[in-house]
Amino acid sequence: MPDESRHPGPLAPEAGGEPRVEPETGSASLSGGSSPQKSGLVKYGELIILGYNGSLPQGDRGRRRSKFVLYRRQKANGVMRSRHYPVKTPQSAQAIHNNQLHSISYTLSRHQAVIVEYTHDPTTDLFQIGRSSESPIDFVVMDTVPGNQVQERVNAQSTISRFACRILAQRDEDDLTCRIYAAGFDSQRNIFLGERATKWETGQQGVDGLTTNGVLIMHPKGEFCPPSNSASTTPPATSKPGIWREISVGGSVFGLRESRSAALQGSPVPSESNTLVDGTLIDLCGATLLWRAAHGLANSPTPRQLERCLDDLNAGRPQCPVGLHTLVVPTRKNSNHVAPEAQPVVYLSCGHVQGRHEWGSLNDSKGSKTCPICLGASSTALLMMGSEPGFYVDCESPDYAFVPCGHMASEKTVKYWANVPIPCGTSGFQSACPFCAMPLTGTPGYVKLIFQDKCD
Amino acid sequence: MAGLPRRIVKETQRLMQEPVPGISAIPDDSNARYFHVVVAGPEGSPFEGGVFKLELFLPEDYPMSAPKVRFITKIYHPNIDKLGRICLDILKDKWSPALQIRTVLLSIQALLSAPNPDDPLANDVAELWKVNEVEAIRNARDWTRTYAMGN
């Protein structure tokens, strides 16, 4: 068993939906009542894996879950760079064998390596993310399978590094800056960059490098989820996706390599930094994480707000124009109680929402049907609420759905994500539904929903 | 009637509770799928003042296929033939299960207001409607008076 006390992670969400943790014990707090603020917890933010709608399909357990909340630790566990020195063989270096000492070893050639030692930093907290279930990993991230599916082949090749990246968070309440770095320390508190990894010497006789598949980040342009100011007449400016960059082991910013694991690093981008901002995306090659800073999350809808939106919609008793029965848009909570005929279906070309029926099949390869309302040909999807609040860029009602999966979200939210290129393959990009990771199809990749309130 | 689909029950209830102005549709006592329909000739049309009887039948797979509707009262109209059959796209290839008895009857009422001689069913009527509309309308009025008033 990993030593949970040394690496407290966020644990099971409490009844209210807000996961929290008691850093001292690392044990789940399932009791309601006092909020993290009240109990003295300082929240840095949340890391949410794209492709899950509030939890993993097999359920959230321990450090393996769909999102990870970073709280200030009871005791600082951050590290900072101290000295570095060349060695002939890193395996023989004392720092490598000292399990109390964090170190990064850059193998430059067969008989030449540089070791950078790290010492305890009382001003920062360290959080590590990767595929490994070993104790140094706070947030275990596996490859995302689109469509809220569980990976079928257990031993499928993963492209995510076991110790993929690390985040250092400033413990100062007035400055909770979080910075990201490629690679994480293993159980021996070492990071090894082997002979074949991309690395180079830096100005002050230091070294830096990239991990095999790299850690890419994308900061949004503008505020990801601006405060909704009802007093103001001008709508808050919407953010736009930025440009994907690569982060080095030392935390510097580079342009993308020619392909994902090419040997040559991209050009340095000194004007940009590895400081996470609200809405920064982190791509680990196999899974993409969204960083939501605590202050940004305060502008996002709460799970209750989203539920209320849906309750309002269902209270309008939308009808199936064919069966003339009432439809119920399911949430994760009530999905088991919604009768099959009440499950709404959206016609993805026109947005008309109806119940399930067999009329209008066109017998083509895509399973298209004729929409009974507008007689247009369209593929269809079961309508499902986008329940993960962190993916919303505003608190408006979920009047739109992604195509082809049918996950509902607000207008600005679908428009934002339809414009976000998510890295896929060795050098490709593809926009996807954040709630299930299905690549969006067609243009624009979303549709405005049209409900029938009264069928006449 | 047992085994009547919920949709038909709902449509029937609404037709009774909130009837369409100028239209009545009442299910037959012995067959809930057979409706006795009466449509008032629309104001401003040559059919004004007339009361037209129709029969409407919901086939087994309704609403997946269209209702069968026929005029019982004789009518002089380019899109309705001697047997009362109606040339209306939504009763044929433009049928959709999102349409209802109500919408079908409204469409028939609209057809009385706006005859379409370019898509005829009664060829002789349509022909006259095109070459001599005044005479055609006069015929329609005569037929309305003869067949659709008071008897």
Side-chain angles (χ1 to χ4, degrees):
Chain A
M1 267 301 284
D3 178 5
E4 291 279 354
S5 64
R6 261 178 56 226
H7 301 279
L11 295 149
E14 60 182 301
E18 181 77 353
R20 64 193 200 94
V21 68
E22 284 162 14
E24 183 63 340
T25 61
S27 65
S29 167
L30 291 166
S31 59
S34 62
S35 70
Q37 281 72 26
K38 278 182 202 154
S39 59
L41 289 188
V42 175
K43 181 168 165 175
Y44 295 117
E46 295 180 2
L47 285 168
I48 313 170
I49 311 177
L50 300 193
Y52 302 106
N53 198 8
S55 69
L56 298 179
Q58 68 271 34
D60 285 353
R61 232 168 274 133
R63 294 171 294 155
R64 179 117 164 69
R65 51 200 316 112
S66 72
K67 69 174 160 187
F68 173 68
V69 186
L70 286 77
Y71 289 111
R72 190 167 69 181
R73 297 188 190 275
Q74 197 76 9
K75 283 194 186 118
N77 72 336
V79 290
M80 59 184 173
R81 197 181 156 119
S82 61
R83 57 190 191 131
H84 66 276
Y85 46 87
V87 292
K88 283 222 166 70
T89 51
Q91 279 70 24
S92 62
Q94 204 262 334
I96 303 301
H97 296 285
N98 182 346
N99 283 353
Q100 294 309 305
L101 187 67
H102 287 87
S103 70
I104 305 180
S105 139
Y106 299 84
T107 305
L108 299 176
S109 68
R110 205 139 174 216
H111 298 293
Q112 197 197 357
V114 173
I115 290 186
V116 180
E117 289 186 6
Y118 286 75
T119 57
H120 176 64
D121 178 1
T123 68
T124 60
D125 283 338
L126 174 67
F127 298 92
Q128 299 213 112
I129 300 132
R131 183 168 47 87
S132 171
S133 55
E134 287 182 41
S135 61
I137 294 298
D138 298 285
F139 187 24
V140 179
V141 174
M142 307 297 235
D143 299 71
T144 302
V145 182
N148 295 142
Q149 301 291 306
V150 178
Q151 177 79 272
E152 273 179 29
R153 289 183 305 137
V154 176
N155 295 321
Q157 275 283 329
S158 173
T159 46
I160 301 175
S161 168
R162 297 173 64 238
F163 301 90
C165 69
R166 61 194 197 279
I167 289 171
L168 278 172
Q170 293 286 339
R171 291 171 57 83
D172 182 351
E173 253 167 89
D174 298 322
D175 174 20
L176 298 169
T177 301
C178 295
R179 294 187 177 84
I180 184 164
Y181 303 81
F185 296 102
D186 64 17
S187 298
Q188 273 72 51
R189 301 192 172 183
N190 298 321
I191 293 171
F192 273 104
L193 283 190
E195 221 173 313
R196 274 197 290 274
T198 303
K199 55 196 135 12
W200 57 92
E201 295 187 49
T202 59
Q204 312 82 30
Q205 295 170 308
V207 281
D208 199 355
L210 304 175
T211 54
T212 309
N213 288 334
V215 172
L216 310 186
I217 66 164
M218 190 203 80
H219 300 308
K221 280 189 226 155
E223 232 177 314
F224 179 78
C225 186
S228 53
N229 190 353
S230 50
S232 161
T233 48
T234 51
T238 13
S239 75
K240 288 196 169 56
I243 300 167
W244 282 97
R245 305 293 191 198
E246 178 155 13
I247 295 301
S248 70
V249 174
S252 296
V253 183
F254 294 86
L256 298 189
R257 290 180 253 183
E258 207 162 273
S259 67
R260 189 80 196 218
S261 51
L264 198 65
Q265 75 270 30
S267 340
V269 186
S271 59
E272 294 180 23
S273 89
N274 63 334
T275 298
L276 298 178
V277 300
D278 189 36
T280 297
L281 285 171
I282 303 162
D283 188 81
L284 302 180
C285 195
T288 310
L289 315 180
L290 173 68
W291 167 255
R292 294 302 314 278
H295 67 83
L297 275 171
N299 301 331
S300 292
T302 62
R304 277 188 199 84
Q305 255 175 299
L306 289 183
E307 257 167 52
R308 218 172 298 136
C309 280
L310 203 55
D311 288 346
D312 288 348
L313 178 63
N314 284 331
R317 296 178 70 80
Q319 277 207 307
C320 172
V322 174
L324 300 187
H325 55 267
T326 303
L327 302 172
V328 180
V329 180
T331 56
R332 283 194 306 130
K333 267 188 179 171
N334 72 3
S335 61
N336 295 332
H337 308 296
V338 173
E341 72 266 20
Q343 164 69 51
V345 172
V346 54
Y347 284 68
L348 295 168
S349 300
C350 51
H352 287 120
V353 179
Q354 306 173 27
R356 273 191 259 213
H357 57 75
E358 293 309 311
W359 189 80
S361 281
L362 293 170
N363 295 319
D364 63 1
S365 57
K366 293 180 289 181
S368 303
K369 293 172 83 176
T370 301
C371 171
I373 294 175
C374 64
L375 301 182
S378 177
S379 49
T380 61
L382 301 184
L383 201 59
M384 205 61 78
M385 183 68 181
S387 304
E388 173 52 62
F391 294 144
Y392 280 74
V393 303
D394 63 12
C395 296
E396 297 302 313
S397 56
D399 299 332
Y400 283 72
F402 286 105
V403 175
C405 55
H407 278 107
M408 297 162 70
S410 70
E411 176 177 6
K412 279 183 181 162
T413 301
V414 296
K415 287 182 176 173
Y416 180 79
W417 289 103
N419 281 312
V420 174
I422 309 282
C424 66
T426 55
S427 50
F429 291 92
Q430 165 83 62
S431 58
C433 169
F435 303 104
C436 70
M438 285 289 280
L440 301 184
T441 54
T443 310
Y446 54 82
V447 66
K448 183 171 168 52
L449 299 171
I450 306 168
F451 287 92
Q452 320 290 311
D453 281 349
K454 210 172 185 196
C455 296
D456 56 349
Chain B
M1 182 176 161
L4 200 65
R6 193 164 57 159
R7 152 140 182 182
I8 296 179
V9 174
K10 280 202 161 184
E11 276 200 66
T12 307
Q13 281 171 351
R14 243 197 100 205
L15 279 168
M16 310 305 247
Q17 283 159 9
E18 308 163 49
V20 190
I23 297 174
S24 90
I26 296 160
D28 189 81
D29 288 339
S30 61
N31 184 354
R33 288 177 177 269
Y34 185 92
F35 287 76
H36 302 275
V37 179
V38 177
V39 174
E43 264 179 53
S45 79
F47 311 102
E48 184 175 347
V51 173
F52 297 86
K53 286 187 191 159
L54 297 87
E55 58 181 3
L56 182 146
F57 180 71
L58 303 176
E60 182 58 32
D61 60 347
Y62 177 83
M64 297 305 147
S65 66
K68 309 237 178 296
V69 197
R70 192 180 75 87
F71 273 81
I72 295 171
T73 306
K74 271 172 76 78
I75 183 166
Y76 192 86
H77 190 288
N79 309 105
I80 301 163
D81 73 4
K82 279 201 278 276
L83 300 172
R85 293 180 300 193
I86 306 162
C87 179
L88 188 61
D89 57 0
I90 61 159
L91 293 175
K92 300 188 174 71
D93 56 319
K94 289 284 158 46
W95 169 251
S96 148
L99 299 170
Q100 300 181 15
I101 299 171
R102 172 182 296 269
T103 41
V104 164
L105 295 179
L106 280 167
S107 301
I108 291 170
Q109 202 180 36
L111 190 67
L112 298 186
S113 291
N116 179 11
D118 293 325
D119 184 20
L121 195 62
N123 281 317
D124 51 334
V125 177
E127 194 54 34
L128 186 63
W129 217 284
K130 278 200 275 193
V131 298
N132 190 345
E133 196 180 345
V134 175
E135 192 185 332
I137 288 174
R138 196 188 314 127
N139 286 347
R141 265 201 205 99
D142 287 347
W143 281 44
T144 302
R145 212 174 297 123
T146 310
Y147 302 109
M149 283 187 191
N151 48 354

